[in-house]
Amino acid sequence: MHRCFALKSTAAALATVNSPSSTPSVQGTETTESSREETPESSWSRSTTHFSPTFDLTREYTFALQTNSYKEIWSKIHQIHHHSGDLSTPDLLSQLLQPNRSSVEEALRDATPGNLTRLACAYFDYSEHTSNLCLRLHRIIDCARSMYAPVHELLEQLPLDFDFITQTQQQCDWAFDVLLQFESLDNPFPNPDSNSNSFNDMRRCLAQMKLELDLHLHRSRKKIRLFRGATTSSALCLIGLTVGVAATAVGIAAHALAVVVAGPLFAFLPIHFTKRELHHIAQLEAAAKGTYVINNDLDTIDRLVARLHAAVESDKLLIRLGVVRGRDKYPIQEVVKQLRKNQPNLLHQLRDLEEHLCLCCATVNRARSLLVREIHLQQTRNS
């Protein structure tokens, strides 16, 4: 059950794979178990595989955890948090984000001002905020582990079949003090019902951006269809004119004039206008795919955080009921037994959240890399 929300979220993404601008959130998977090398293009290609009843979500999730991008993010995040006391938040993000803010600013320096550039800037900002949110949540996981460390040490020291009746008063006092201290601490995980929920704010921004991107994609594709239709109509008119007037000198002259007038138009529209629109579409699609997947990952993380918040609150309530009668052995004994039962599930949930934070950061980096690549390609072709 500890991966329930992750697999459901992945299944929901795959179910919408036929949408033109939708990409599911199974990221960074490879074609063989022996080869874990990946590129942004291969990752997106694999993530758009058509869903079938035989699709193994657990296998895909396992593959995602074995990719080079995931391992690199996992290593970076743990190194960052190990040395985080000497680094500011921008420095932490600079180490985690690839491409980082300076690389993105350099790519956008020569971009033509307009809606496309504005959306690209907003997209990079939102993706950076997402990575920052993942870093903050990873710190919260560390806080939760520190919070539970005395309780878990207590569970390890006490035998599985312990009975406080046979234990010394010193052990009973130790258990009581540990539980009382835990109950006095605040829940490190944010309340999902809070008005200041960062997940809701970020998902709302990403959803709005997705609507804008889809609207611009629709308009750009419509322009392509219109001008291709106009080009085709011009070609058919020229063919009809050639057949109808080929027998007369006047017709031949008219045909020559039509070629002189319509020829440049025929050449101009598909080469200049259409290619420019196709470049815009490529950038819009890269941003739309990234927005969809990041938003989907945030939804999964939000669910995992909500579960952990509820688990901590449940343990605090359980302990509160146990210590309310003071150092009474019997209720404390029952609390310890229940905490022992809850411990494996809590550890699984913490591990799941940690994995999904790393997967989300890897997704952000792939999405940023794809959009920067499309921007560089357009600049290269225009130069």
Side-chain angles (χ1 to χ4, degrees), residues 22 29 48 57 63 68 91 103 113 122 133 173 196 240 250 284 299 302:
S22 296
T29 52
T48 54
L57 296 177
F63 278 164
N68 291 334
D91 292 330
S103 299
L133 180 60
D173 291 341
S196 59
V250 176
L284 289 169
D299 183 65
D302 190 17

Side-chain angles (χ1 to χ4, degrees), residues 278-296:
L278 289 175
H279 296 160
H280 287 179
I281 288 175
Q283 293 183 38
L284 289 169
E285 286 182 338
K289 290 177 180 179
T291 301
Y292 175 86
V293 178
I294 293 172
N295 199 16
N296 194 63

Side-chain angles (χ1 to χ4, degrees), residues 30 69 79 93 105 114 181 188 210 227 237 255 266-267 299 326:
E30 283 72 31
S69 59
Q79 289 177 1
L93 282 175
E105 290 175 350
Q181 179 187 14
K210 184 66 164 55
F227 280 105
C237 289
H255 169 66
F266 178 79
D299 183 65

Side-chain angles (χ1 to χ4, degrees), residues 104-291:
V104 168
E105 290 175 350
E106 181 180 354
L108 294 174
R109 187 171 298 144
D110 299 327
T112 304
N115 286 329
L116 182 59
T117 302
R118 176 184 62 82
L119 287 171
C121 290
Y123 173 79
F124 287 122
D125 286 342
Y126 290 153
S127 64
E128 183 173 326
H129 292 327
T130 299
S131 292
N132 187 32
L133 180 60
C134 290
L135 283 175
R136 286 162 47 197
L137 284 174
H138 201 275
R139 291 193 186 96
I140 290 176
I141 293 176
D142 291 339
C143 291
R145 285 176 172 149
S146 298
M147 177 181 179
Y148 272 92
V151 176
H152 292 166
E153 182 182 358
L154 174 67
L155 298 178
E156 290 175 2
Q157 294 295 327
L158 294 176
L160 294 176
D161 57 347
F162 82 99
D163 187 337
F164 270 129
I165 297 177
T166 62
Q167 302 301 313
T168 65
Q169 186 61 42
Q170 184 179 5
Q171 289 175 313
C172 296
D173 291 341
W174 174 40
F176 178 83
D177 292 339
V178 167
L179 298 178
L180 187 64
Q181 179 187 14
F182 180 91
E183 194 277 331
S184 66
L185 298 175
D186 293 330
N187 192 330
F189 294 100
N191 189 337
D193 299 326
S194 173
N195 294 329
S196 59
N197 191 325
S198 300
F199 294 100
N200 292 337
D201 294 339
M202 184 57 63
R203 289 207 307 272
R204 192 179 303 112
C205 292
L206 290 172
Q208 181 62 37
M209 167 163 280
K210 184 66 164 55
L211 290 176
E212 288 193 60
L213 290 168
D214 287 344
L215 178 61
H216 284 282
L217 272 171
H218 174 73
R219 290 174 178 172
S220 293
R221 288 167 177 159
K222 186 176 181 180
K223 288 180 183 178
I224 293 293
R225 289 194 298 268
L226 287 175
F227 280 105
R228 281 178 174 171
T231 302
T232 302
S233 298
S234 299
L236 292 175
C237 289
L238 288 175
I239 293 173
L241 181 61
T242 302
V243 173
V245 300
T248 64
V250 176
I252 295 174
H255 169 66
L257 179 61
V259 171
V260 170
V261 174
L265 179 63
F266 178 79
F268 174 77
L269 290 178
I271 293 177
H272 298 284
F273 179 84
T274 306
K275 283 191 175 181
R276 186 187 66 185
E277 286 298 322
L278 289 175
H279 296 160
H280 287 179
I281 288 175
Q283 293 183 38
L284 289 169
E285 286 182 338
K289 290 177 180 179
T291 301

